[in-house]
Amino acid sequence: METKEKIYNKLLKLVKKDNVKVNERLKDHLYTKLGGKADFFITPTTFQEVQNVVKLSNEDNIPFTLLGNGSNLIIKDGGIRGIVINLKHLNDISSEGNTVVAQSGARIIDASRHALKQSLSGLEFACGIPGTVGGALYMNAGAYGGEIKDVLDYAYVVDKEGNLVKRLASELNLDYRTSNIPENGDIVLEATFNLKPASYEDIKAIMDDLTFKRESKQPLEYPSCGSVFKRPPGYFAGKLIQDSKLQGTNIGGAEVSTKHAGFIVNKNNASTTDYISLIEHVQRTVKDKFGVDLEREVRIIGEDTD
Ligand SMILES: Cc1cc2nc3c(=O)[nH]c(=O)nc-3n(C[C@H](O)[C@H](O)[C@H](O)COP(=O)(O)OP(=O)(O)OC[C@H]3O[C@@H](n4cnc5c(N)ncnc54)[C@H](O)[C@@H]3O)c2cc1C
């Protein structure tokens, strides 16, 4: 890899100066409020800029990592080497007929609200999911019986070589909290959702109901990364954790939520190590008690500290 100074100068040729940060604290961008620094943190403003950065990364062998709203990520305290790409400036949402088109840095909550304003039904399930459109496609986000797979028509992505490519929803292998976006190395830039006309009042009533359920069941008063584990076939992760009497268990500042057993909250200045140790403790305890493997939904990335 080139020296940091050389990489910085090359990035300045591709992305505006204000949109290239060095040694950026990632905890400021993550829901858990945990994690180290990024060597470079860039916020491109056009599709072309994203393509150019991918090409630079290939030519100079500089790794890059996508960061959406940081609501499904734990980043280790050693931070991330190379370039972190955040698409917050690519956040346009528009609609035509029965479709809503959202750029990947837009919040999926805002896409859901936009659909409501157009009296289009299908994105109600997403009205409380705190991620971006890109992050939602990446893991086929879903809630209360709905998921991205049900409404996505197609997406524009930047592929590994830096080409802008259209991918139909059927090509993304969307399944329970997974897609082939990570294995293809795609960067999602824009998504087109196919929705159905419905009455504004009916859509609003569903969204209000889901918001009420979410606010009454989830510990939204503390930093967290949402449900830590996927639903194991035939079980509910939260119920297994509750029945293992793990609620309230803490390691350092991280705690298994007393309000929703599937959440681990950053209650008191937790370190990433606290968080990861607690996740592993929960996995071991549930395995010992019920013989069930809890697979993580949240992604853990980055470097350990020296
Ligand atoms: C309080 C709370 C409640 C939640 N409730 C739900 C829920 O009901 N349902 C649900 O499914 N999830 C839920 N989540 C988890 C989270 O909001 C979703 O997984 C969301 O889709 C993550 O989006 P993000 O932008 O925050 O992604 P990040 O956490 O930033 O990133 C997640 C992964 O997506 C990749 N990524 C991000 N953007 C792109 C892009 N443009 N192109 C390619 N890859 C990209 C990242 O590299 C990373 O690997 C919840 C989280 C919290 C904190």
Side-chain angles (χ1 to χ4, degrees):
M1 203 156 84
E2 303 252 32
T3 63
K4 263 183 145 177
E5 198 185 341
K6 278 194 181 155
I7 297 173
Y8 181 66
N9 288 328
K10 286 190 179 183
L11 282 172
L12 287 188
K13 292 194 178 126
L14 306 180
V15 183
K16 286 183 206 92
K17 189 163 189 253
D18 284 352
N19 299 335
V20 182
K21 304 261 188 289
V22 181
N23 291 331
E24 176 78 355
R25 265 171 36 144
L26 292 171
K27 60 165 63 172
D28 298 337
H29 301 277
L30 289 189
Y31 264 71
T32 49
K33 301 294 169 214
L34 298 169
K37 294 181 177 176
D39 290 342
F40 300 98
F41 182 86
I42 65 161
T43 50
T45 54
T46 64
F47 288 8
Q48 190 60 59
E49 285 179 5
V50 181
Q51 291 177 256
N52 292 344
V53 170
V54 171
K55 287 177 187 157
L56 171 72
S57 144
N58 288 336
E59 279 156 21
D60 288 3
N61 207 13
I62 310 164
F64 70 81
T65 305
L66 260 291
L67 173 63
N69 243 355
S71 62
N72 199 36
L73 271 183
I74 292 174
I75 294 181
K76 293 186 185 171
D77 296 328
I80 297 189
R81 299 293 72 79
I83 306 168
V84 169
I85 305 177
N86 176 264
L87 300 176
K88 66 178 181 184
H89 296 308
L90 291 170
N91 61 5
D92 191 54
I93 304 176
S94 60
S95 43
E96 203 186 314
N98 293 345
T99 62
V100 166
V101 181
Q103 290 186 330
S104 67
R107 297 188 318 153
I108 191 77
I109 290 178
D110 291 332
S112 170
R113 288 181 188 152
H114 183 98
L116 166 68
K117 278 195 199 131
Q118 306 301 317
S119 297
L120 290 172
S121 170
L123 275 172
E124 294 89 328
F125 74 89
C127 70
I129 300 178
T132 59
V133 168
L137 263 61
Y138 181 97
M139 57 97 72
N140 185 29
Y144 302 112
E147 56 183 351
I148 291 293
K149 187 183 179 185
D150 302 335
V151 283
L152 183 70
D153 190 358
Y154 58 88
Y156 278 102
V157 305
V158 174
D159 72 6
K160 268 194 219 152
E161 279 75 45
N163 304 308
L164 185 63
V165 180
K166 180 176 175 177
R167 301 241 193 261
L168 299 177
S170 57
E171 294 172 305
L172 292 176
N173 289 356
L174 298 167
D175 208 336
Y176 175 62
R177 301 301 168 265
T178 168
S179 74
N180 63 14
I181 293 169
E183 85 196 47
N184 286 344
D186 285 344
I187 299 178
V188 180
L189 290 185
E190 188 180 277
T192 295
F193 300 106
N194 241 334
L195 306 174
K196 291 197 177 75
S199 102
Y200 178 94
E201 285 71 26
D202 288 353
I203 300 171
K204 175 104 180 17
I206 294 171
M207 286 169 67
D208 287 348
D209 180 46
L210 297 186
T211 303
F212 175 75
K213 285 191 176 129
R214 198 176 273 278
E215 285 174 355
S216 52
K217 292 201 176 121
Q218 297 185 356
L220 302 178
E221 62 279 24
Y222 292 112
S224 82
C225 48
S227 298
V228 176
F229 305 102
K230 294 187 183 186
R231 199 175 51 233
Y235 298 90
F236 288 101
K239 175 92 171 66
L240 290 168
I241 296 166
Q242 197 177 350
D243 293 348
S244 302
K245 308 265 180 286
L246 283 163
Q247 282 183 282
T249 304
N250 51 54
I251 294 183
E255 181 173 296
V256 179
S257 166
T258 48
K259 191 167 177 188
H260 185 311
F263 279 54
I264 291 180
V265 292
N266 179 357
K267 202 156 177 201
N268 188 13
N269 273 324
S271 67
T272 308
T273 314
D274 297 338
Y275 231 84
I276 295 173
S277 306
L278 188 53
I279 290 173
E280 289 169 355
H281 174 69
V282 169
Q283 285 173 315
R284 271 195 310 273
T285 310
V286 168
K287 177 76 176 170
D288 286 352
K289 240 182 146 78
F290 297 105
V292 179
D293 288 306
L294 288 181
E295 189 192 338
R296 263 191 291 107
E297 179 174 309
V298 62
R299 287 197 65 214
I300 300 176
I301 60 172
E303 310 288 320
D304 291 312
T305 40
D306 300 328

